[in-house]
Amino acid sequence: MSRRLMMTMTALLVLAEGTRIVYAQQKTDFSGTWKLMEYRYGDKVMSTKNPIVSGAPLNCGVQCTITQTAESLTVSRKPSPSGETPRGESVFLDGRSMANRMTATLAGPVLRLTQAFAHITVTQTVVREGNKLIMVTTVAESPTAPYSLTYERSPVGR
């Protein structure tokens, strides 16, 4: 094998390894405005008119805007028809503990939120797949099926 070929192969291997390391360290950006497309409870399709999952760490409702920084993720919803403005929900992504007994872990494309109440633990997994955002909420110590909400990203300006 020629020296030039050996050097080229080595350079390609180093470049490939560096690309793999950078890709593994990238975290998904959940920022954007998201509109509910599907709401399921187990295998049952639910009405999308009132999709708030009680006890879920994050609730997008029918539509929400997510703002994300390196340290936090904040969900904002529009005022209800009665004019009530829902409070924004924020979670720390940098390992800080939160007063509401919630933990958040962002690993690559998956955001996992866990919140402990009296005798119940609620776990929510949030995944972005292109222009879709999927939130799956499960309640431990409970016979309830998981709730799955699928959102589609709204184009800018809508």
Side-chain angles (χ1 to χ4, degrees):
M1 190 178 298
S2 75
R3 182 175 178 182
R4 175 181 264 175
L5 180 59
M6 180 78 104
M7 289 176 62
T8 302
M9 288 177 59
T10 301
L12 286 174
L13 284 172
V14 168
L15 180 61
E17 183 64 19
T19 302
R20 185 180 70 81
I21 290 169
V22 168
Y23 179 76
Q25 292 174 347
Q26 288 179 340
K27 295 185 179 173
T28 298
D29 184 2
F30 296 98
S31 297
T33 299
W34 301 93
K35 182 178 179 184
L36 183 65
M37 302 309 288
E38 183 180 77
Y39 177 31
R40 292 183 169 269
Y41 172 67
D43 292 334
K44 184 178 177 186
V45 176
M46 307 294 285
S47 167
T48 58
K49 291 183 181 175
N50 187 19
I52 300 297
V53 177
S54 180
L58 292 180
N59 279 300
C60 262
V62 175
Q63 182 174 319
C64 72
T65 299
I66 297 177
T67 307
Q68 182 177 341
T69 66
E71 297 83 27
S72 67
L73 182 140
T74 301
V75 176
S76 304
R77 295 189 311 272
K78 289 184 176 184
S80 68
S82 65
E84 181 182 333
T85 302
R87 66 176 177 81
E89 298 168 314
S90 295
V91 295
F92 295 126
L93 302 174
D94 60 1
R96 279 186 275 171
S97 60
M98 293 173 259
N100 56 3
R101 297 178 48 159
M102 183 176 13
T103 59
T105 307
L106 180 57
V110 179
L111 173 62
R112 185 172 314 276
L113 303 153
T114 305
Q115 191 166 18
F117 296 98
H119 300 290
I120 298 172
T121 301
V122 178
T123 302
Q124 188 173 44
T125 303
V126 183
V127 178
R128 179 172 175 187
E129 294 177 355
N131 283 332
K132 291 194 181 206
L133 184 72
I134 302 164
M135 294 181 160
V136 178
T137 304
T138 56
V139 181
E141 301 90 28
S142 171
T144 62
Y147 294 90
S148 174
L149 292 92
T150 302
Y151 293 85
E152 188 170 82
R153 188 175 184 150
S154 296
V156 175
R158 273 197 178 174

